[in-house]
Amino acid sequence: MKKLKLTKENISISLILILSAILNFANIRIEGYGNSYYAAGVKSMTMNIKNFFFVSFDPGSFVTIDKPPMGFWIQALFAKILGFSGWSILLPQALAGVISVYLVYFLVKRSFGSVAGLISGLCLSVTPVFVAASRNNTIDNLLVLTLLFACLALTIAAESGKAKYLYLSLILVGIGFNIKMLEAYMIGPAIYITYLLSSSITLKKRITHVVIGTFILLSVSLSWALIVDLVPAQNRPYIGSSTDNSVMELIVGHNGLERLGLGSKSNKGPNASNNKKDDRQMQSYNNIEISNDQNKQVSKGNSNGIGSELQNRDGQDNESVKEAPNGGMLGGGPGGQGGLQGSFGGQTKAGITRLFSKNSLSDQIVWFLPLALLGFVAGAIKEKLRLKLDNKRKISLALWIIWLVPEFIYFSYTTGLFHPYYLTMMAPPAAALAGIGIVIMWKLYNEKKWASWLLPITLIIEGFVNMMMLSYFSNNLSDSVRKIILIALLLCFLTSLILAILNLLSFIRRKNDTNLSDNKDIHLKKILLGISMVSILTVPFIGSSSAITHSVNSTIPTAGLELLSNSERGGASFGKERSDNGKNSKLLDFLKSNITTEKYSLVVPSSQSADSIIIQTGEPVMALGGFSGSDKILSLDEFKEMVKNGEVRYVLTGGMGRGGSSEILNWVAENGTLVPESQYKDVVSNDEQNVKDSNDIKNKSKNENQNTNSVRQDMGGPGGNNSEQLYDLKDESNILK
């Protein structure tokens, strides 16, 4: 066994991994359970093998989460071993983030050396969206880790021509498909094109390998879906967010065409013709803070106000309807929080500048994009890149750029359904090309040809990107943070300018054919480049580190200056742990005292009203319409049969979601026995309630990075306002019998 040597490289990568671990793990308790929809599903999955295999949202195995199983299987295993807690379900993503940093370092080092690898790993570790995704139970960084392993196998395959490594790479992509479906296929062009352009074996063999590999990919990708769809519907939970209770439709529909802006429920961008409904909804949310009088009206008639809007949100993504996040529901539309546009990526103006403009995507991924793109140009020049990939460096360049560019185009132009944290998929190729670019541009800089200008020009462009991001959030940052950023920008521009001047002097020397050595100031140039890199890394590091003290949005996790500026305005929790403890306590006490043999302790319109109860108690709560309430899972006759058989008794109406179950809820209201509110909720006088709701809504509209469940209380979640009514169907059960 080799002893670990204390070389500069080993010390450096160790420090980078420690930095990544600090950003991902430090004070992670403030994130609570993260996304409560997924957390409730994981809690249910730990309770029995059926729930585990089918990824059931609820302990009663009524409806599934709207995602494939692999990521949540990992979380459930961690929760089963370590005990169910916020920490245990966030741990896999945080670990995946740190391991991904090492893999990027290792992959880049294989082709371009340790310095490039170290810079790449450092860039990835401080990318804001990557850190935010690592501190949340959304599963995107588990997917990123899987795809990086696929890249490792692919590079070996392309270099050696050994088919088994290509097959392994595609198996890993298939596993990635079972983490987040079609999102995993975004790396497909990079894998296929890179392998086909490699030159280690004949083209005929490469094509044969690709064809066989494609069959393997599809087999692994669809294995779970086909097994689930073959199970009779009565023996498994309903497939959440599907229209026909099949995983295949979920793949093609909600997690497929809708992401491309082609599905009937897609959340289109601002220029889309069918976006009027979303605009009306966003306007509804933005009007919350207009006046106290209007707030009182909202609190009095919530079922016809905000609640009714939310109940008809059939077209929204299941990952984001819950709360008012950074760019979220409340104030998240145009002119929303901090003037940022859109809570969904597709709601922002499509175009080549989308990722750089002032919107909810602003400062999540842009930090190293100019460096990555110009770094590739430098690499292509240095390596004389052609269609024939005949060495490690060319293969690496092709892999990273073909991963990055299609995703950049997709996220820049799609009007489909995507969120800011999806941009974590771009973080590895951007970081890799940034590290490669710096090393190659430094070499070109010292060769004193026209390409030597790439380095100072790129550094200046990076400075302008940093300055642009600062301009979006400057007014909401503290003076100390603003001063640090301004100093970093000044140093970046100053060192870049000096590097440009030294380069110009070098050209003059060569032209005059003097005897002065171009290498006499090499040490100074290295110092200047080092200062420039530190300056470029400072601002994204500040944005990423803000997640340590200020909780990221649980439903749409983002970090960066956006999170920090919201926090400076009092919009984020500072070192306070999120918790559901104590919420719904009176309702839960009532159910515990009255439930006897019923299969489901409670029926609610959607998962919005169920997840916190499941997290707290593990009780089987039926989300009648799935996540958003729009799934048509049961017919009225089927529901009546369940009532007749004594499987359900108590139904909580109101709250979020009615679309797929309006007929059932109307029948419940007409035929059920209304339970006095004093038995299941704390009741206050109308005047006291109006004042409380008015103040709460006003405060929540200022707090754009808040706990999912606390927001849900203002919108009719369990334990919230008076729009909810609890009905007892015991008498109706006797009548039906």
Side-chain angles (χ1 to χ4, degrees), residues 611-622:
D611 49 23
S612 64
I613 298 177
I614 294 172
I615 291 171
Q616 292 175 61
T617 68
E619 287 294 316
V621 181
M622 176 192 291

Side-chain angles (χ1 to χ4, degrees), residues 296 299-300 685-695:
K296 291 178 181 178
S299 65
K300 287 181 179 180
S685 67
N686 287 337
D687 289 339
E688 290 175 331
Q689 184 65 39
N690 290 340
V691 171
K692 178 181 182 299
D693 289 347
S694 175
N695 291 334

